[in-house]
């Protein structure tokens, strides 16, 4: 997609509602209170026959200092400069406010293509506001209702020539590739079409103010996400695609997760739910800890959540640049990790500094290794040879004097690795023996840290009399019945 549209306007004029309608999904958080959106969120929009990229932005406020509203405004102005066109939304019911006039002047200077729209314009209550919009000097306003889908046709008509112009410009500047495809067998490998590699999905999660947005900005090499000393700045789960040291990656920044008892406001509940969805979509989850207060109770819950969802996990300890006694600290970290998170035994533990960029190359290597292990497959022959050795070294228990037999083992799936063991009386096999087998799988087949699923299944004996109750055979019953009849 070559055309980019940025939706801008004051807080609470309906930008995120319109963004969700254009992308066809509820991606952006929507709430009645103003200032919900803080970061830039991109999405693939569809409007009639048009396909383009749309950017949801923070509400423009009259602040230019280093306060949170001021930083949000600078981020929005940056999106305006990047976009091919801007859709300037006003509230049709509220009419034109003094701040709308200020921002209209700013937009004229920063972007050549500005489309004016009056949102919430359903009904007669917005007639006055739509007429007032002419005074902004941005041409005829489009009458919209993002919530009800009204005015989408008029918006498509206004965008169509701009999208076409951007497509023609991109086609004219695209490099020509002269490839002879007359004989595919003789085609040089370098001239063959290149299949686009699916990006690695990485989610960064952690407690508020652990440095998640700062880390992603450092990886991107630009201030793409809003950061600051305030805890809980990030609200939406924002995904950004980039090239991470040669690896196509889509990384998710999530809202800080506090204890459930402390999450009271509806907006924070929506933010946390959005972060949980990001974990489910991710392949590798980076659990970011604060070096000053690592492995708090909430950190353990967050790491356990990633493991229960079956994601590959990397533990990253941030703010390492301010630690003084690093040798003693790393020893304490490793001891705490092994003691408090035994379910992630062997997972990578990387110390980093999101502020200075220290050890981010090690983080990249740890993420790739965790992803590789998460996709690992072991042949059935190796598994059954290993199972025989494990059973010989430590036989399963014999409840009621009958030994449980482990007959056969295979790998059912990857992502995460899941194994099935066919055995007798699976319901009587204790959890401790399953843990013994899982730890053996980790050590023997080099699968540290990744979640492993082990399922015990009854082999399903085909004996037709297995589940029958003891009773008189049918032929004997007939014989006995005949004998009584003869008597």
């Amino acid at each position: 997609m070559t055309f980019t549209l940025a939706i801008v306007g004051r807080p609470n004029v309906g930008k995120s509602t319109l963004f969700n309608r254009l992308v066809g999904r509820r991606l952006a958080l929507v709430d009645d209170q103003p200032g919900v959106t803080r970061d830039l969120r991109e999405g693939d929009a569809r409007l009639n026959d048009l396909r383009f990229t749309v950017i949801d932005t923070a509400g423009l406020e009259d602040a230019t200092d280093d306060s949170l509203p001021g930083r949000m405004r600078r981020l929005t102005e940056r999106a305006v400069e990047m976009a091919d066109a801007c859709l300037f939304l006003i509230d049709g019911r509220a009419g034109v406010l003094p701040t709308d006039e200020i921002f209209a002047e700013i937009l004229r200077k920063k972007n050549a293509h500005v489309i004016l729209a009056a949102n919430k314009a359903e009904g007669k209550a917005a007639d006055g506001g739509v007429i007032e919009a002419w005074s902004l000097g941005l041409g005829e306003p489009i009458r919209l209702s993002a919530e009800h889908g009204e005015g989408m046709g008029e918006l498509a008509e206004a965008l169509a020539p701009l999208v076409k112009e951007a497509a023609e410009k991109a086609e004219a500047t695209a490099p020509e590739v002269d490839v002879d495809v007359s004989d595919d067998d003789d085609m040089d490998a370098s001239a063959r079409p290149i299949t686009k590699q699916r990006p690695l999905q990485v989610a960064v999660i952690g407690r508020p103010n652990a440095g998640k947005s700062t880390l992603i900005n450092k990886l991107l090499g630009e201030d793409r996400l809003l950061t600051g000393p305030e805890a809980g700045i990030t609200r939406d789960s924002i995904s950004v695609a980039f090239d991470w040291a040669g690896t196509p990656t889509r990384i998710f920044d999530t809202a800080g997760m506090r204890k459930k008892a402390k999450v009271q406001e509806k907006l924070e509940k929506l933010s946390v739910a959005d972060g949980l969805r990001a974990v489910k979509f991710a392949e590798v989850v980076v659990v970011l800890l604060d070096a000053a207060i690592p492995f708090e109770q909430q950190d353990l819950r967050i790491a356990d959540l990633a493991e229960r969802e079956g994601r590959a996990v990397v533990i990253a300890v941030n703010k390492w640049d301010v630690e003084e006694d690093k040798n003693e600290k790393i020893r304490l970290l490793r001891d705490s990790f092994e003691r408090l998170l035994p379910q992630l035994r062997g997972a990578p533990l990387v110390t980093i500094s999101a502020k200075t960029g220290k050890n981010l190359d090690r983080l990249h290597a740890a993420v790739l290794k965790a992803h590789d292990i998460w996709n690992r497959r072991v042949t059935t022959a190796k598994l059954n040879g290993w199972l025989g050795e494990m059973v010989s070294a430590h036989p399963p228990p014999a409840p009621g004097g009958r030994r449980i037999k482990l007959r056969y083992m295979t790998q059912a799936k990857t992502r995460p690795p899941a194994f099935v063991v066919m055995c007798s009386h699976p319901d009587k096999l204790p959890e401790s023996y399953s843990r013994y087998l899982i730890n053996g799988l980790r050590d023997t087949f080099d699968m540290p840290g990744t979640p492993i699923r082990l399922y015990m299944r009854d082999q399903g004996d085909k004996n037709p009399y297995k589940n029958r109750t003891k009773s008189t055979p049918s032929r004997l019953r007939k014989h006995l019945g005949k004998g009584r009849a003869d008597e």
Side-chain angles (χ1 to χ4, degrees), residues 199-443:
L200 175 65
Q201 310 283 324
V202 179
V204 182
I205 63 175
R207 288 185 290 110
N209 217 25
K212 299 180 292 296
S213 299
T214 304
L215 170 61
I216 295 177
N217 281 342
K218 180 61 71 172
L219 292 174
L220 297 176
E222 59 177 335
D223 291 335
R224 174 66 172 72
L225 302 172
L226 193 65
T227 61
E230 304 91 346
I233 289 179
T234 302
R235 285 175 171 170
D236 290 89
S237 175
I238 305 296
S239 67
V240 183
F242 73 111
D243 185 274
W244 189 2
T247 306
T249 306
R250 177 168 291 278
I251 194 164
F252 293 82
D253 184 25
T254 61
M257 299 181 184
R258 298 196 299 162
K259 293 181 180 179
K260 190 173 182 180
K262 293 184 178 181
V263 179
Q264 301 294 334
E265 295 184 6
K266 173 189 172 184
L267 184 56
E268 187 173 359
K269 291 180 180 179
L270 293 173
S271 299
V272 172
D274 206 28
L276 296 179
R277 281 194 295 270
V279 172
K280 293 180 180 179
F281 280 113
E283 297 169 321
V284 181
V285 172
V286 176
V287 180
L288 197 64
L289 311 182
D290 188 331
I293 44 173
F295 295 111
E296 292 280 297
Q297 194 66 32
Q298 185 64 0
D299 293 325
L300 303 180
R301 291 193 184 98
I302 292 170
D304 184 62
L305 164 71
E307 193 277 337
R308 283 188 284 108
E309 288 293 338
R311 307 301 97 182
V313 178
V314 174
I315 306 295
V317 183
N318 191 24
K319 306 179 184 178
W320 194 246
D321 53 308
V322 298
E323 281 297 322
E324 297 180 358
D325 191 354
K326 291 181 170 55
N327 291 332
E328 178 64 17
K329 188 71 173 184
I330 193 66
R331 186 187 67 79
L332 294 174
L333 286 173
R334 294 191 185 281
D335 289 345
S336 300
F337 183 27
E338 293 179 4
R339 177 169 49 86
L340 298 173
L341 289 172
Q343 68 272 37
L344 291 173
R345 184 169 66 91
L349 176 67
V350 185
T351 56
I352 65 170
S353 172
K355 184 178 180 180
T356 65
K358 183 178 178 59
N359 290 342
L360 294 189
D361 55 338
R362 291 177 54 195
L363 178 62
H364 177 248
V367 167
L368 292 183
K369 182 179 179 181
H371 183 258
D372 177 66
I373 295 173
W374 192 60
N375 285 276
R376 186 159 297 172
R377 182 172 287 279
V378 184
T379 63
T380 301
K382 290 183 178 179
L383 282 174
N384 284 285
W386 168 85
L387 181 63
E389 295 176 1
M390 295 292 286
V391 171
S392 298
H394 182 51
R402 301 181 63 180
R403 178 74 64 187
I404 297 175
K405 297 180 180 180
L406 307 185
R407 297 187 175 93
Y408 178 79
M409 184 176 186
T410 187
Q411 185 170 356
K413 62 182 284 291
T414 59
R415 307 163 64 91
F419 303 90
V420 177
V421 177
M422 298 298 182
C423 64
S424 61
H425 309 292
D427 55 322
K428 297 181 180 179
L429 193 71
E431 186 67 26
S432 59
Y433 199 83
S434 295
R435 287 197 301 270
Y436 162 70
L437 294 178
I438 289 175
N439 290 334
L441 285 169
R442 292 190 192 280
D443 295 337

Side-chain angles (χ1 to χ4, degrees), residues 35-65:
V36 172
T37 302
R38 289 176 173 174
D39 286 293
L40 305 181
R41 179 189 281 276
E42 295 183 5
D44 297 332
R46 298 166 61 95
L47 187 59
N48 296 348
D49 295 331
L50 304 179
R51 303 291 182 270
F52 55 94
T53 299
V54 62
I55 304 175
D56 186 22
T57 66
L60 286 165
E61 297 192 47
D62 192 10
T64 56
D65 54 10

Side-chain angles (χ1 to χ4, degrees), residues 407 458-464 466-467:
R407 297 187 175 93
D458 194 336
Q459 194 172 13
D461 194 341
K462 296 183 180 180
N463 183 357
K466 180 179 179 181
N467 296 319

Side-chain angles (χ1 to χ4, degrees), residues 107-126:
L107 292 176
R108 271 195 293 266
K109 295 177 181 178
K110 288 185 176 290
N111 196 292
H113 302 293
V114 180
I115 300 172
L116 176 62
N119 192 30
K120 307 180 185 179
E122 66 276 13
K124 295 182 179 180

